[in-house]
Amino acid sequence: MAKRRRLVVGNWKMYGRLTSGLVLARDLVEQAEARKPLHFDMVICPPVTLTWAISETIMGTPLMLGAQDCHTATHGAYTGDISAAQLADLGCRYVILGHSERRLKHGESNQLIAQKLEAAQLAGLTAILCVGETAEQLASGSTTDIITRQVQECLPEKYRAAHLVIAYEPAWAIGTGQQPAPDTIAEVHKIIRQALGIAGETVQILYGGSVSPANAEAILLQDEVDGVLVGSASINSDGFWAIAEKCNA
Ligand code: PGA
């Protein structure tokens, strides 16, 4: 079977204003151009306020654009929300869904995430579905059950595997400097592949949670790991590229 192409995703969260965001995007482009052709894919997910400006900056470069969330509907009376089709209009090709910050701080359920995923794929976006256990679930030994349920319940009946990426992001590892051992990450990725069935052979599975230039190599040396989803370390061009280059490991 052909090797899955690797993918590095930067989640800028709610960081960055117009000037700083454009500086970062231009830096990332400059470094991408200097390294062409890339043997992996790179996606940045800035705050939606920056998307249009950055879309113009990265057009025609190896960088691709993503968003951090979308609504379940295509349009309607949903004050403050943004649809997947509107993100596609801005040049987005990916959207992160089910991030633990949305599950825990906005009460998003697996069922809601499944509806968002369906809407995203209908709009032609690739969904980056985040799954992962909390510290309590880890302590109670329920990681396998939680992850399996999240994968099964967050995928609508007719999802398109070709437009799906899964990110294993333990909630306790996000922004904490802690993370599972690389072989534990590989084990969980295998569980995700099993839960996906036949699609598990082709769907890219990323790891996310406190990924840094110092630990990226050990994670990416795991064959099971098809890339990384990077939060705070992605808002520094040199740091993000130092991580991305480990994809060649
Ligand atoms: P972190 O965040 O790399 O800052 O831990 C990862 C994420 O939230 O996707």
Side-chain angles (χ1 to χ4, degrees):
M1 196 188 56
K3 213 169 155 18
R4 292 175 296 270
R5 190 169 165 89
R6 286 187 146 174
L7 171 66
V8 185
V9 182
N11 172 13
W12 293 12
K13 310 195 183 196
M14 201 172 72
Y15 293 108
R17 301 285 300 277
L18 189 56
T19 307
S20 61
L22 279 175
V23 168
L24 176 54
R26 285 190 196 117
D27 274 4
L28 290 169
V29 165
E30 213 171 282
Q31 300 211 39
E33 295 291 350
R35 290 169 169 85
K36 271 200 319 201
L38 299 186
H39 300 296
F40 51 85
D41 290 328
M42 183 179 265
V43 175
I44 53 172
C45 303
V48 82
T49 50
L50 306 183
T51 306
W52 182 242
I54 290 181
S55 179
E56 295 198 311
T57 305
I58 69 173
M59 204 173 285
T61 79
L63 262 65
M64 291 182 282
L65 200 52
Q68 301 171 17
D69 183 36
C70 73
H71 195 266
T72 56
T74 53
H75 60 278
Y78 301 105
T79 303
D81 284 314
I82 300 170
S83 76
Q86 289 169 331
L87 295 173
D89 280 349
L90 292 173
C92 289
R93 293 175 58 183
Y94 288 79
V95 60
I96 297 171
L97 294 174
H99 191 283
S100 62
E101 284 155 12
R102 296 215 57 92
R103 290 178 188 266
L104 300 172
K105 296 176 186 171
H106 294 264
E108 291 199 3
S109 64
N110 289 342
Q111 288 69 27
L112 178 76
I113 295 160
Q115 288 172 26
K116 290 186 172 192
L117 200 143
E118 190 162 15
Q121 292 196 332
L122 269 175
L125 301 181
T126 294
I128 303 172
L129 168 64
C130 299
V131 297
E133 78 284 4
T134 62
E136 293 71 35
Q137 290 161 343
L138 175 72
S140 68
S142 48
T143 300
T144 301
D145 289 349
I146 292 292
I147 304 277
T148 304
R149 223 183 47 225
Q150 286 176 339
V151 171
Q152 286 166 348
E153 292 184 359
C154 292
L155 291 178
E157 210 182 322
K158 288 199 181 129
Y159 76 94
R160 296 166 64 190
H163 282 186
L164 176 69
V165 173
I166 296 202
Y168 168 47
E169 293 213 313
W172 56 270
I174 292 176
T176 60
Q178 298 179 306
Q179 54 187 200
D183 55 342
T184 306
I185 293 172
E187 282 303 311
V188 177
H189 281 211
K190 274 191 203 144
I191 291 164
I192 295 171
R193 283 196 200 288
Q194 273 162 16
L196 285 170
I198 187 80
E201 288 174 21
T202 50
V203 169
Q204 291 162 310
I205 305 182
L206 317 181
Y207 169 76
S210 296
V211 176
S212 71
N215 60 32
E217 182 162 14
I219 295 167
L220 286 160
L221 276 172
Q222 304 292 320
D223 278 344
E224 280 291 334
V225 177
D226 300 320
V228 282
L229 172 50
V230 187
S232 56
S234 73
I235 47 184
N236 172 288
S237 175
D238 290 341
F240 192 47
W241 269 105
I243 292 169
E245 294 209 306
K246 302 293 189 306
C247 278
N248 295 322

